[in-house]
Amino acid sequence: MPLLLSVLGVGLVTAPLLLLQQTIAADLVPIAYLIPVIFAATTWGIWPATLASIASMVAADFFFFPPIYSLQVEDPQDAVDLLLFLVVALVSGNLASRLRRETDTLRQREAEIHQLYDFSRRLAACFTISDLVAAIQKYLSRALGTHAVFFVATADGHFEPPQCGQPPGAVVEHVAAMGAAVGLAARLVVDQRTREAWLLRAVCSETAVHGVIAINIGAGTAEALSIRMSRAEAVLDEVSLTLQRLDIGKAMEDARLHLQAELLRDAFHGTISHELCSPLAAIQGSATVLSSVPMIHDNTQARSLVDAILEEAAELDGYIKNLLNATKVTAGGLRPQPDWTDPRDIIDAAIRRAARRLAAHKIEMTFDEYLPLVRVDSGLIEQACGQLLQNAAKYSPSGSAITIKARAEQQRLIISVSDHGVGITPDEQQQLGRRSFRSKRHQATIPGSGLGFWIASTFVRANGGTIAISSPGPGLGTTASISLPAFRPTTTDLMAIEND
């Protein structure tokens, strides 16, 4: 049809020229016949423009150059003019056709840039994976004019087919055979029924695979498929960068929220500790005064009540001090004061501190014959051991044995506290050491705040040690072990210890 229309354009130019005088028409021929040539070149391309050039030369020779109505040329100058016209027409048509192609290419690139810009804006506004998938599907449908479906990765390492826009069975089978692992290679699947090619590409970040996107590349030549695949790959590469941004942004946001929570918790614990110290001191002072009153001292029942108040107040005071010291250690406001200490003294002091809790249990102690001295803050380590003993008593039945062992091992002092209580599950063991963590198994049956083990681990780490928990399983008991650096003291250290 473009070829026929180009010839028709030459005829439309010829008709008005025939109405003019012969001399005037002959002068207008070179300019008039360039009009259909340029129009054909800019509208339909190079081949219709070439046909229009040849048709224009033939029409000029037949209608306007003597002999009229004949293709013969009498004057050699007319022949030269016709040949020059053909050359000019061909060159002009070629240039106009090339200009048209470049204009179309620029318009296409401009449209692609606008679409990519809109896609980038959508990616920047994505805060969830679902938003990202919706942006991908919309862009591919608008930019490539292709259909795209997303298979969501499940927890068991497979991909769930989409609820709507079901792809061909061959695509579903290939996706099902893929595993949700980082670094999956792209695949090209051909639907035998429609002969359309589908590109399968994993949508993943650096840490996880979120799914597989199937893009209908369509049918066509190998070159056309290659171009479409390149554009789709470019889109998905930008998607991967956005996924990394989402992962990094989420990690930064989680870290920021965690830091804020830790700061607020430290401030809360510090404030509560300070606020409780004053009324607790008043309670202890009042109970001490009451215990010295002769009337109460001589009354057995009243004296037992006052003694209970003093014991509970002393325990609460120790708990508040531990919490306040742990908060100060984490905030850098309290530094340990290390000194050479006999580990037996630390354990004895810890047992005396937790004596009321341990009253219903049998205490068994096993010490190596030779225990090295440790250079630690004995007060903090004593409080850490006391917390472990209280936990052992709290989570084991009355009358059961609690075993305390101390041994030297590869320049380390190991203090372990074992019980025959409820034990620990693997999931609980991973959570131990977090502030305010309590197992769901004990929240309704055993009172507590979840701070005891955190306080103990904080004090041990402040002295350069480590703390570990082991358990054969639920109901099989628990062993908490403190590992402290043990060094052989120098002669100067021994003389200082002896002088003390």
Side-chain angles (χ1 to χ4, degrees), residues 16-77:
L17 290 176
L18 291 174
L19 300 177
L20 301 176
Q21 294 182 1
Q22 184 71 21
T23 56
I24 298 176
D27 293 336
L28 293 178
V29 162
I31 299 176
Y33 278 124
L34 283 178
I35 296 176
V37 174
I38 300 299
F39 181 81
T42 55
T43 306
W44 301 302
I46 183 63
W47 294 113
T50 303
L51 181 59
S53 301
I54 297 174
S56 298
M57 183 190 70
V58 172
D61 182 20
F62 189 80
F63 291 106
F64 303 106
F65 289 91
I68 305 300
Y69 307 122
S70 174
L71 295 179
Q72 295 181 0
V73 180
E74 294 181 351
D75 189 355
Q77 182 63 38

Side-chain angles (χ1 to χ4, degrees), residues 178-186 201-206 208-209:
M178 299 171 68
V182 177
L184 282 176
R201 170 76 180 267
V203 178
C204 58
S205 59
E206 293 182 346
V209 176

Side-chain angles (χ1 to χ4, degrees), residues 470-482:
S470 61
S471 174
L476 301 178
T478 305
T479 298
S481 301
I482 296 176

Side-chain angles (χ1 to χ4, degrees), residues 103-121:
T103 303
D104 292 341
T105 302
L106 290 176
R107 287 176 179 173
Q108 183 179 0
R109 290 179 179 176
E110 182 182 8
E112 292 177 359
I113 290 173
H114 280 295
Q115 291 169 353
L116 282 174
Y117 176 69
D118 182 63
F119 182 55
S120 299
R121 290 177 58 189

Side-chain angles (χ1 to χ4, degrees), residues 13-297:
V13 172
T14 304
L17 290 176
L18 291 174
L19 300 177
L20 301 176
Q21 294 182 1
Q22 184 71 21
T23 56
I24 298 176
D27 293 336
L28 293 178
V29 162
I31 299 176
Y33 278 124
L34 283 178
I35 296 176
V37 174
I38 300 299
F39 181 81
T42 55
T43 306
W44 301 302
I46 183 63
W47 294 113
T50 303
L51 181 59
S53 301
I54 297 174
S56 298
M57 183 190 70
V58 172
D61 182 20
F62 189 80
F63 291 106
F64 303 106
F65 289 91
I68 305 300
Y69 307 122
S70 174
L71 295 179
Q72 295 181 0
V73 180
E74 294 181 351
D75 189 355
Q77 182 63 38
D78 293 338
V80 173
D81 292 342
L82 288 175
L83 291 176
L84 286 176
F85 169 78
L86 178 61
V87 172
V88 170
L90 291 175
V91 173
S92 300
N94 185 27
L95 292 177
S97 177
R98 185 183 301 175
L99 179 62
R100 172 182 172 271
R101 290 197 304 268
E102 292 179 356
T103 303
D104 292 341
T105 302
L106 290 176
R107 287 176 179 173
Q108 183 179 0
R109 290 179 179 176
E110 182 182 8
E112 292 177 359
I113 290 173
H114 280 295
Q115 291 169 353
L116 282 174
Y117 176 69
D118 182 63
F119 182 55
S120 299
R121 290 177 58 189
R122 290 181 177 273
L123 290 183
C126 290
F127 295 99
T128 62
I129 301 302
S130 59
D131 295 340
L132 185 62
V133 172
I136 297 171
Q137 292 177 339
K138 186 171 182 179
Y139 172 75
L140 291 175
S141 61
R142 288 181 55 188
L144 303 181
T146 58
H147 179 52
V149 293
F150 189 74
F151 295 78
V152 181
T154 58
D156 57 355
H158 296 85
F159 299 102
E160 180 181 352
Q163 299 297 329
C164 57
Q166 190 72 15
V171 175
V172 177
E173 293 177 0
H174 277 80
V175 173
M178 299 171 68
V182 177
L184 282 176
R187 300 184 184 182
L188 192 64
V189 180
V190 178
D191 183 14
Q192 299 298 331
R193 184 174 60 86
T194 60
R195 306 303 300 173
E196 292 180 338
W198 287 73
L199 175 65
L200 306 183
R201 170 76 180 267
V203 178
C204 58
S205 59
E206 293 182 346
T207 57
V209 176
H210 303 285
V212 169
I213 188 166
I215 305 173
N216 185 2
I217 302 299
T221 63
E223 183 180 358
L225 293 178
S226 177
I227 293 174
R228 295 174 193 164
M229 283 185 59
S230 299
R231 293 184 62 185
E233 291 282 354
V235 171
L236 296 179
D237 288 340
E238 191 169 353
V239 168
S240 298
L241 294 177
T242 302
L243 279 172
Q244 294 178 17
R245 176 181 61 81
L246 290 178
D247 279 357
I248 294 172
K250 185 176 182 300
M252 293 178 63
E253 181 66 16
D254 291 344
R256 185 181 64 83
L257 293 177
H258 180 71
L259 178 60
Q260 289 181 350
E262 291 291 333
L263 293 176
L264 289 174
R265 191 174 297 171
D266 286 342
F268 174 76
H269 288 163
T271 302
I272 292 298
S273 300
H274 282 294
E275 293 296 330
L276 290 178
C277 285
S278 298
L280 185 59
I283 293 173
Q284 287 179 310
S286 301
T288 303
V289 172
L290 286 175
S291 64
S292 62
V293 175
M295 184 181 301
I296 295 179
H297 186 271

